[in-house]
Amino acid sequence: LLFAMGLGTTITFASSHWLLAWMGLEINTLAILPLMCQSHHPRAVEATIKYFLTQATAAAMLLFASITNAWITGQWNLEFMSYSLPTTLVTVALALKIGLAPLHAWMPEVLQGLDLTTGLILSTWQKLAPFCLLLQINPSNTSLLLILGLASTLVGGWGGLNQNQLRKILAYSSIAHLGWMILVLQFFPSLTLLTLLMYFVMTFSLFISFKVNNSTTINSLSMSWSKAPIISSMVPFILLSLGGLPPLSGFMPKWLILQELTKQSLAPLAALAALSALLSLYFYLRISYAMTLTMSPNILLNALPWRLPSNQHTLPLAITT
C-alpha cells in the first residue's frame, strides 16, 4: 500500500496530461484508505469514510474541471490553463484535497480518528501531489488564492486554541501552514516549495516525538518528562519553530513570505497573516508548557509511570529534530 501511495504521487509528479494527474491522485487516495482503517476502531472507520468522501468529491471536481478545459481549449495539457472557469474549479478542488479553509472541516475530524503514523502520512505525503499540480497550473485568479490562504491562516489559528487533542491541534496547525504557502504561491513558487519542505521536517519530528511518548492529549504530555527527558526538552524548540520564532528554522519561510507580500504591495494582508501566526503560537506554547513545565500530579514523589519499552527507531526523529 505504501508503494501504491508513492506510485500515485509519482504519476502525478510526472504527468503533463490531466487524466494522468487525476489518476495519480486517485491511486494515492485508494492506497491510503486501508492504512487509515487498519485498526478497525469505529473512529478510524468513520475518519476513513469522511476522508474518502471528501477526496472523491475533490477528484470528481478536478476531473470535471479538466474535461471543461479540454472542451474549451481542445487539449489536455496541465500548462495551458488559460481560461478562468476551469482554473478556478481546479484550484478549489485541490484546496479541498489538501484541506484549505473554508474547505478544511474534514481535516481535524479525519486526523483525530487516525493513529499518529497514518496521521503523519496524511499531513505530509498526501499534500505533495496536489501542491505539485497547484504549482504547475500557476492559477491566474489571484484573489481566490489570497482569500483561501488568509482564511486558512486565520482558521488554523483560531481552531486550535481550545483543543485538548494533540491530533486536532496538529490538523489546525497544518491548515495554517498550508495557508501561508498558498498566500505566496503565485508570487514566488519556489518559496512555497521551501515552506512545504520546512513544514514537513518540523511536522515529522513532532509526530514522531508524540509517538515515542505515546500521547494523544495535552494532559498525557505531562508524563513525558519522566519518560523521555531529552525528547521533552527538545520538543518545545520544534513547537516554537512551527510557530515561527527567530532564530529557529520555522522563522525563515514566514519572514520571506511576509517580505514577498510586502513587495507585492499587500502589506495589510501580510499584517493579518502575521497576527494569525500569533494565534498559532499560543497553542504551540500551551503544548510546550504542558510538556516541559508541568509535572504529572503523583502521590509518591518521583513515581515513574509504568510503560512498555518503546521499540521504535529514534534515528529519523534525531535527524529531523
Side-chain angles (χ1 to χ4, degrees), residues 56-125:
T57 312
M61 207 166 160
L62 190 78
L63 190 61
F64 173 66
S66 54
I67 289 174
T68 313
N69 185 53
W71 183 48
I72 297 174
T73 59
Q75 43 72 35
W76 286 90
N77 255 3
L78 284 179
E79 282 80 29
F80 298 114
M81 299 291 290
S82 46
Y83 289 86
S84 60
L85 172 71
T87 317
T88 310
L89 273 173
V90 165
T91 315
V92 173
L94 292 172
L96 177 59
K97 248 193 180 334
I98 53 180
L100 288 170
L103 309 163
H104 67 284
W106 60 272
M107 179 97 183
E109 292 288 322
V110 168
L111 212 57
Q112 179 54 34
L114 307 178
D115 60 328
L116 287 168
T117 324
T118 325
L120 172 65
I121 295 174
L122 184 73
S123 41
T124 55
W125 185 259

Side-chain angles (χ1 to χ4, degrees), residues 174-191:
S174 163
I175 293 167
H177 279 271
L178 290 171
W180 279 89
M181 292 166 215
I182 292 293
L183 275 178
V184 81
L185 179 76
Q186 56 215 347
F187 308 125
F188 202 165
S190 49
L191 183 51

Side-chain angles (χ1 to χ4, degrees), residues 176-306:
H177 279 271
L178 290 171
W180 279 89
M181 292 166 215
I182 292 293
L183 275 178
V184 81
L185 179 76
Q186 56 215 347
F187 308 125
F188 202 165
S190 49
L191 183 51
T192 299
L193 211 55
L194 171 77
T195 319
L196 191 65
L197 292 175
M198 291 295 315
Y199 163 72
F200 278 5
V201 171
M202 295 186 286
T203 311
F204 186 85
S205 46
L206 200 56
F207 263 101
I208 303 256
S209 50
F210 287 156
K211 192 165 174 280
V212 168
N213 280 323
N214 195 13
S215 55
T216 53
T217 58
I218 289 193
N219 298 343
S220 62
L221 276 180
S222 55
M223 292 291 218
S224 63
W225 191 247
S226 47
K227 285 183 187 176
I230 298 178
I231 292 179
S232 302
S233 55
M234 287 309 289
V235 163
F237 287 114
I238 305 170
L239 284 163
L240 294 179
S241 178
L242 270 169
L245 284 193
L248 303 164
S249 49
F251 172 61
M252 173 186 61
K254 290 200 169 169
W255 178 38
L256 291 171
I257 286 174
L258 289 176
Q259 187 185 359
E260 185 60 37
L261 285 176
T262 338
K263 272 185 197 166
Q264 303 289 340
S265 66
L266 291 168
L269 195 68
L272 272 172
L275 286 174
S276 72
L278 279 176
L279 293 168
S280 323
L281 187 62
Y282 170 73
F283 57 81
Y284 295 132
L285 279 172
R286 231 178 104 211
I287 301 179
S288 45
Y289 175 77
M291 204 156 179
T292 51
L293 299 173
T294 46
M295 293 295 287
S296 173
N298 286 320
I299 302 163
L300 297 172
L301 286 175
N302 305 328
L304 285 174
W306 178 84

Side-chain angles (χ1 to χ4, degrees), residues 35-57:
L35 292 174
M36 288 167 78
C37 61
Q38 63 184 347
S39 65
H40 290 299
H41 191 276
R43 276 301 272 126
V45 177
E46 182 191 343
T48 312
I49 292 173
K50 282 177 182 170
Y51 183 74
F52 172 70
L53 290 175
T54 50
Q55 299 298 308
T57 312

